[in-house]
Amino acid sequence: MKRINWLGLGLLAPAFCIVIFFFLAPVILTGFFAFTNMSTSTGVTGGEYVLNQTGLRAIEDKGLPEATLKQLKNAGYRVDAKGLAAMAEQFGENAAAEFAELHGDALFTSRRDMERALKDLRANQIRSTRDRKAAAELFKRSVLNERFATEDEFRAVLIEANINPADHDAIVMQAYSGWVWTKENIELIFTLPSSLRYAMNTLMYVGLTLSFNVLFGLFLAISIFYLPPRTSAIFSTIWFLPRVLPPVLYVLMWKWFTWDTGFIATTLSWVGVAPKNWMLDTSTHAWVVIVLINGFVGASLGMILFSSAIKAIPTSMLHASEVDGASRIQQARYIILPQLRWPILFVTSYQTLSLLTSFEYILLSTDGGPGRATEVWSLAAFHTALNNYGGNLQYGLGAAFAMLLVIIGIIASLTYLRFFNFREMIAKPRIEG
Amino acid sequence: MQLQLKNFTKRFGDLTVIENLDLTVNSGEMIALLGPSGCGKSTTLFAICGIHRMDEGELLFGDREVSDLPSQKRNVGVVFQNYALYPHMSVFENIAFPLTIKKQSASDIERQVNEIAELVYIGELLKRRPAELSGGQQQRVALARALVRKPDFLLLDEPLANLDAKLRLEMRSEIRRIQQETGIAAILVTHDQVEAMSMCDRIALMDAGKIVQFDQPSVLYTDPANKFVASFLGNPPISFIDPIVDSGALMLPGGLSIAIPENISAQSKVQLGIRPESFGPQFGTGLPGKVCFVEMQGREELFDVLLADGSLVRSIQPAGSGINVGAQIDWGVAADNVLMFDQNGARL
Ligand SMILES: Nc1ncnc2c1ncn2[C@@H]1O[C@H](COP(=O)(O)OP(=O)(O)OP(=O)(O)O)[C@@H](O)[C@H]1O
Ligand SMILES: [Mg+2]
C-alpha cells in the first residue's frame, strides 16, 4: 500500500485552494449564473410575488385567456373591514358604519358600480365627486400591484378574485419577482441579431489586433536585430512603454490624441481640416484606434519574444547565410523567420486567448461605440451584466455571454495544446552546436 | 585565381588585432593560417570573406579589388568551425541554399547539388536534417555547401576541431582530396600544426597579429625564422639550452662544445635549439644528464633529460631501450641540426 505523503499534500494545499477559488470557482459560478434570470429586479436572493402592468403584458403575450386577463386588469371592489376602517378614518365613523350597513361585504366589478353604491349614503353623504372617487379607491381590491411575501398568500388572493384555477400557475410564475432557473438566456443569445454582431466584432477585433501584434512585433524584432546595440536598446524600450503604462493613462493619452480638441484635430485644423473626434467619428475610426491601442500593447510582447529567439540563432549561421549570398531580406526570410516558428505560434495562440477575453482597452477608449460598432463579446457580457444604461443589470444574461466565451476559450486552448504538441517540441533540438 | 591581402589592419575599438599583414595565396594552392589561440587567424579569415570590414589595406581576388564588397558579392565558400548548417532545412536544401538565393532553376540546382554531394560522399543523406547527422557528415555537408557555388576561394575555419581523433585523420585527407579535385585555392585556419603540415602546401605561421614565417611546412620545420617558429612546430617540441660562448665555440653543460659557424658573428649570448630527434646515444656522447621522465608513445619513447645546469632536453628514441627514470645517461647531439638564436629569438 502506498503511504500518503502528508507533508507533500500539505505543501500542495495552498495551490489547490488557489486553483479552486480563483480558477475553478469563477468558471463554475459563471455557468451557474448563466442558467438563471438574475437581474437587478430579481436580486440575487429570493423574491416576493407581485403582478404589475409589465408582468400583465408579459403573460398576455404568453397567451393567457382574455377572460382571466380582464379579471386581473379590472380592479375589483370589496366592501370589507379593511376598507371600512380606512373610510372611517377619512370620512368619519358614521359614514363608515352607514356604508357597512348598506353594502357590507358587497362586491363590485367596476369603479362606476362602486361609486354608485357610495351615492347610496344618506345620512353621511359624500358630496363631491372627487371625494367619492377617493372613497371608492379605499375599497379597491386587486391582484395588481399588491406585494405578497409568500406564494400561498398570492394564490389565496387569486382564488378570492375568482380567477380560473387553470391560469394560476402561469400568473404565479410571472408574479414571482425573484430569480428562477431558465435556459432562456442561451436561447436569447442565439436569436438576438445583436449577438451575431458582437461575434463579428470579436472576430474582427481578434483578427486585426493579432495580425498587427505578430507582424509588427516581427518587424520590430528584426529591425532591432539589425540596429546597433545602443539604438536598439532605446528603440525597444520605447516600444515597451505601452505595456508598462497603466491602461487608464495609456488610453487617456490616446483620447487626448484623438479628441475633437486634441492633437490630431488641432494639428489638422492648421491645414484646414474641420476638427472632429478622430476616435468616435465613424466606426472605421473607432476600429483603427482600437486595433492600434491594443496592437501597440501586444506588439511589445511579440517583440521581446521574437528578439530573444533571434538572438538565440548562432551568429555563425547568420554569417554563413551572408557568405552564401543572402541579402538582409533573404536572411530574414530564409534563416530568421523559419527559426521563429515556435515563438510566432506561441504568440498567436496566447494572444488569441487573451484578446478574446480582454476588453479593458475598448471599454476605456470607445466603450463599444460609436453605437455598438466596437462592442465585442466580452464587452457585451460586461455591459449586460454589470454596467448598462438601462439600469437593469442582467446578471444571468451577461453570465451566459461570458459562459459561451469560456467554452470557446477552452476549445481554443485545447486545440492549441494539441497543435503545439509540447512533448515533440521539447524533444526537437532547435539549434545545433 | 590568386588572392592577395596587402597591408591588412584590423582593429576592434582601440584594440589593434592585426597590423599590416600581407598574404598571397596562389591559384590551386592550399595554405594554412597557423598560430596560437587569439593570434588573429579567424579575424583574417573573416576579413577575407567579408564578415569583418578591413580597417586598412586591400584585398585582391585575381585583379579584382574586393575590400569594399559585402560578403554576398565575394564568391567565397566558408566552412565554419561549428559548420553553421541551417537546422530547419534538409541537407539538400542546405547545400542548395547558395544557389536558391541566386534564383537558379530547380533542375540546375538539383544537378549541381547531386554532383557536389557525390564528390563529398553524402549522396544518400540528402533528405535528412542536420540534427540527424554525425559530426563528420555535418562537416561534409558544410563543405558541400561551401563548394556548390564554385567559389573562387575556399575558407575553412578550424574545420576539424569538433571531430574525434579518428574522424579528424580521415577528414584531413578528405578535405585535401576534395580541394585538389576541385582545384580551388583554399585557406585553412588551424592551431594544430599536424593538421597544417599534413594538409597544406604552405603554412603562414601567425603570432600576435603578424605572419612570422610563410613557407612550405618542411622549410618551417628545418629552417625556422625565429625561436617562436621553432618552438611552435614539432611534436614533441624543441628544447632550448643556454650555452656559454667561449672563443668561437659554444660550451654546453657537460663539456660538449659546438663550433660557431663562420658566417655567424660571435655573440655574448646565444640560445641553442635541439629537436628531440637530434639528441640521443646514436650521436655519440658529450651531453650527460639524468632521465627525469619517460613517456611511452607506442613505437617510440620520449625522454626528458635534466642537464647539469638545470635545463631540460627532450629526446625521442625507438621503443625498447630499457632506460628508466633516474638513469644517468651521456648522449650526443647532431651538431648539424642544432638551431641557433640570438637573445631576441632571431635565428642566427
Ligand atoms: N568582435 C571582437 N571584438 C573585440 N575583440 C575581438 C573580436 N573578435 C576577436 N577579437 C580579438 O581579436 C583577437 C584575435 O581573435 P581571433 O578570433 O582572430 O583569434 P583566433 O586566432 O581565431 O583564435 P582561436 O584559435 O582561439 O580561434 C583576440 O584577441 C580576440 O580577443
Ligand atoms: Mg578562431
Side-chain angles (χ1 to χ4, degrees):
Chain A
M1 215 181 85
K2 257 192 201 164
R3 272 180 51 220
I4 297 171
N5 188 339
W6 290 107
L7 180 67
L9 277 184
L11 288 174
L12 274 180
F16 277 132
C17 292
I18 288 173
V19 166
I20 288 168
F21 282 121
F22 295 104
F23 295 9
L24 288 178
V27 175
I28 292 169
L29 277 180
T30 307
F32 163 77
F33 278 118
F35 290 98
T36 70
N37 67 346
M38 282 185 197
S39 68
T40 313
S41 53
T42 67
V44 289
T45 52
E48 18 175 48
Y49 293 82
V50 55
L51 191 64
N52 51 22
Q53 285 297 334
T54 333
L56 205 61
R57 230 170 288 132
I59 37 175
E60 184 177 359
D61 291 345
K62 282 179 194 157
L64 203 72
E66 194 64 31
T68 313
L69 268 177
K70 214 169 194 170
Q71 272 178 303
L72 286 170
K73 243 186 251 173
N74 287 333
Y77 294 82
R78 179 186 291 273
V79 185
D80 54 8
K82 187 177 155 200
L84 289 170
M87 189 176 175
E89 210 163 285
Q90 284 189 29
F91 299 95
E93 292 283 349
N94 297 341
E98 187 186 353
F99 195 57
E101 213 145 286
L102 283 171
H103 292 290
D105 286 341
L107 250 174
F108 306 97
T109 46
S110 72
R111 171 187 287 267
R112 248 205 5 235
D113 293 345
M114 183 68 213
E115 282 176 22
R116 193 172 295 151
L118 281 166
K119 278 188 187 158
D120 296 342
L121 283 174
R122 287 291 160 253
N124 305 286
Q125 264 189 25
I126 302 175
R127 279 177 217 283
S128 85
T129 323
R130 227 179 76 214
D131 287 348
R132 260 203 312 282
K133 275 200 166 102
E137 209 51 32
L138 297 175
F139 296 98
K140 188 171 171 188
R141 293 292 172 267
S142 163
V143 182
L144 280 187
N145 297 328
E146 290 273 352
R147 289 175 182 281
F148 303 93
T150 66
E151 187 177 339
D152 290 342
E153 280 176 42
F154 186 63
R155 281 187 186 272
V157 174
L158 289 181
I159 293 164
E160 204 172 295
N162 242 336
I163 285 161
N164 184 0
D167 299 329
H168 284 193
D169 285 346
I171 299 168
V172 168
M173 202 193 279
Q174 182 61 49
Y176 182 59
S177 68
W179 61 268
V180 291
W181 297 105
T182 174
K183 282 186 299 202
E184 271 170 27
N185 293 326
I186 311 285
E187 286 160 16
L188 193 64
I189 288 176
F190 280 106
T191 49
L192 280 180
S194 53
S195 23
L196 181 67
R197 158 137 224 198
Y198 301 152
M200 297 316 286
N201 281 350
T202 309
L203 264 184
M204 183 138 138
Y205 167 62
V206 174
L208 289 179
T209 313
L210 190 65
S211 322
F212 187 89
N213 277 349
V214 173
L215 293 179
F216 197 60
L218 267 178
F219 169 77
L220 286 178
I222 291 177
S223 41
I224 282 172
F225 177 69
Y226 284 124
L227 286 174
R230 184 186 287 254
T231 326
S232 78
I234 296 171
F235 204 58
S236 55
T237 313
I238 289 175
W239 286 108
F240 213 67
L241 280 180
R243 179 137 225 129
V244 293
L245 227 52
V248 178
L249 255 183
Y250 174 60
V251 174
L252 198 66
M253 276 161 61
W254 271 94
K255 285 195 161 169
W256 170 81
F257 196 62
T258 53
W259 268 332
D260 41 11
T261 53
F263 181 81
I264 301 181
T266 311
T267 315
L268 286 183
S269 70
W270 295 335
V271 293
V273 178
K276 59 179 172 182
N277 187 324
W278 287 86
M279 185 188 285
L280 291 172
D281 190 44
T282 65
S283 54
T284 318
H285 281 85
W287 274 116
V288 169
V289 170
I290 280 179
V291 169
L292 289 181
I293 288 181
N294 284 281
F296 286 139
V297 173
S300 55
L301 175 74
M303 177 188 78
I304 293 296
L305 283 171
F306 299 151
S307 283
S308 54
I310 293 177
K311 278 192 202 121
I313 299 175
T315 18
S316 65
M317 205 178 293
L318 300 170
H319 286 157
S321 67
E322 267 169 43
V323 293
D324 280 345
S327 65
R328 284 270 157 99
I329 293 185
Q330 286 171 322
Q331 196 176 48
R333 158 84 183 76
Y334 293 108
I335 309 296
I336 296 180
L337 270 186
Q339 306 207 45
L340 295 185
R341 213 171 111 220
W342 290 114
I344 289 174
L345 267 179
F346 171 75
V347 170
T348 307
S349 47
Y350 178 84
Q351 293 280 64
T352 316
L353 291 178
S354 58
L355 285 173
L356 263 183
T357 51
S358 82
F359 58 87
E360 66 270 31
Y361 289 101
I362 305 184
L363 175 75
L364 290 169
S365 53
T366 65
D367 197 18
R372 287 282 161 105
T374 54
E375 181 100 346
V376 294
W377 197 272
S378 49
L379 186 59
F382 171 75
H383 276 154
T384 313
L386 298 170
N387 186 1
N388 107 23
Y389 295 119
N392 188 20
L393 303 180
Q394 296 167 286
Y395 313 129
L397 186 58
F401 270 111
M403 190 187 67
L404 289 179
L405 205 57
V406 169
I407 292 172
I408 293 173
I410 290 175
I411 294 174
S413 23
L414 289 180
T415 319
Y416 282 134
L417 279 181
R418 244 191 114 82
F419 190 45
F420 264 116
N421 202 348
F422 280 112
R423 221 179 312 150
E424 192 190 312
M425 195 170 106
I426 290 164
K428 199 180 216 153
R430 269 200 58 231
I431 283 155
E432 274 292 299
Chain B
M1 194 182 286
Q2 196 188 44
L3 179 148
Q4 272 180 290
L5 190 58
K6 292 180 189 164
N7 271 325
F8 165 48
T9 299
K10 176 71 193 172
R11 300 182 196 94
F12 290 114
D14 297 336
L15 180 75
T16 304
V17 176
I18 310 266
E19 203 163 7
N20 285 330
L21 182 136
D22 293 299
L23 181 72
T24 306
V25 184
N26 298 320
S27 54
E29 184 185 40
M30 179 154 177
I31 69 136
L33 280 182
L34 178 66
S37 187
C39 70
K41 308 181 295 286
S42 299
T43 307
T44 309
L45 198 78
F46 284 174
I48 293 174
C49 66
I51 290 170
H52 286 339
R53 297 272 104 144
M54 292 166 61
D55 289 314
E56 275 166 46
E58 54 181 4
L59 176 62
L60 296 168
F61 287 1
D63 310 324
R64 198 161 61 112
E65 159 81 55
V66 297
S67 3
D68 293 327
L69 287 184
S71 43
Q72 285 90 340
K73 298 205 173 126
R74 290 199 187 183
N75 196 28
V76 292
V78 183
V79 175
F80 292 86
Q81 179 171 340
N82 58 5
Y83 317 139
L85 298 178
Y86 311 126
H88 55 284
M89 299 183 193
S90 69
V91 167
F92 181 93
E93 288 164 332
N94 262 282
I95 300 176
F97 186 72
L99 308 178
T100 318
I101 286 298
K102 285 198 227 157
K103 303 207 161 59
Q104 294 197 357
S105 76
S107 57
D108 266 6
I109 293 179
E110 175 134 15
R111 184 179 47 75
Q112 295 179 68
V113 171
N114 285 330
E115 225 172 77
I116 211 80
E118 288 309 313
L119 179 71
V120 301
Y121 301 151
I122 48 164
E124 69 289 2
L125 303 176
L126 290 177
K127 287 202 182 68
R128 298 213 201 153
R129 292 282 167 114
E132 300 160 350
L133 299 180
S134 74
Q137 291 167 334
Q138 292 188 29
Q139 166 84 94
R140 287 168 190 267
V141 176
L143 207 55
R145 186 179 65 187
L147 289 171
V148 74
R149 53 211 281 245
K150 310 215 161 44
D152 295 336
F153 300 100
L154 178 64
L155 310 181
L156 307 138
D157 189 6
E158 314 231 11
L160 306 175
N162 283 2
L163 302 178
D164 65 47
K166 190 166 158 288
L167 253 179
R168 199 176 301 179
L169 213 67
E170 181 189 319
M171 286 310 293
R172 228 149 66 184
S173 48
E174 272 298 285
I175 292 178
R176 182 59 166 161
R177 169 184 72 81
I178 292 161
Q179 187 267 331
Q180 280 172 335
E181 270 178 42
T182 54
I184 296 172
I187 301 179
L188 170 81
V189 161
T190 179
H191 56 245
D192 182 348
Q193 47 158 323
V194 185
E195 224 168 272
M197 291 209 260
S198 62
M199 293 169 73
C200 297
D201 299 311
R202 288 195 293 162
I203 296 176
L205 188 61
M206 288 182 72
D207 183 28
K210 288 199 166 62
I211 291 182
V212 185
Q213 194 174 2
F214 185 24
D215 218 320
Q216 288 164 7
S218 55
V219 176
L220 256 67
Y221 189 74
T222 53
D223 193 12
N226 61 23
K227 200 178 154 191
F228 172 78
V229 178
S231 62
F232 197 87
L233 294 179
N235 186 23
I238 196 168
S239 324
F240 293 101
I241 50 180
D242 298 309
I244 295 153
V245 183
D246 184 19
S247 57
L250 302 172
M251 303 298 294
L252 271 57
L256 188 73
S257 79
I258 294 175
I260 298 178
E262 282 157 17
N263 54 343
I264 294 174
S265 54
Q267 304 226 352
S268 58
K269 213 165 170 342
V270 170
Q271 269 198 322
L272 274 190
I274 304 176
R275 294 215 181 264
E277 63 270 23
S278 309
F279 173 53
Q282 67 268 46
F283 304 113
T285 57
L287 199 53
K290 197 177 99 176
V291 175
C292 63
F293 182 73
V294 182
E295 189 182 306
M296 181 63 197
Q297 290 191 336
R299 256 181 307 113
E300 283 147 350
E301 272 171 338
L302 175 67
F303 299 95
D304 285 6
V305 177
L306 197 62
L307 302 186
D309 69 342
S311 52
L312 199 79
V313 184
R314 287 182 202 86
S315 169
I316 192 154
Q317 303 291 328
S321 66
I323 297 167
N324 291 319
V325 174
Q328 288 289 340
I329 50 94
D330 186 4
W331 289 344
V333 171
D336 295 347
N337 295 335
V338 164
L339 303 167
M340 292 180 205
F341 305 95
D342 67 15
Q343 66 256 55
N344 298 321
R347 179 79 182 282
L348 291 174

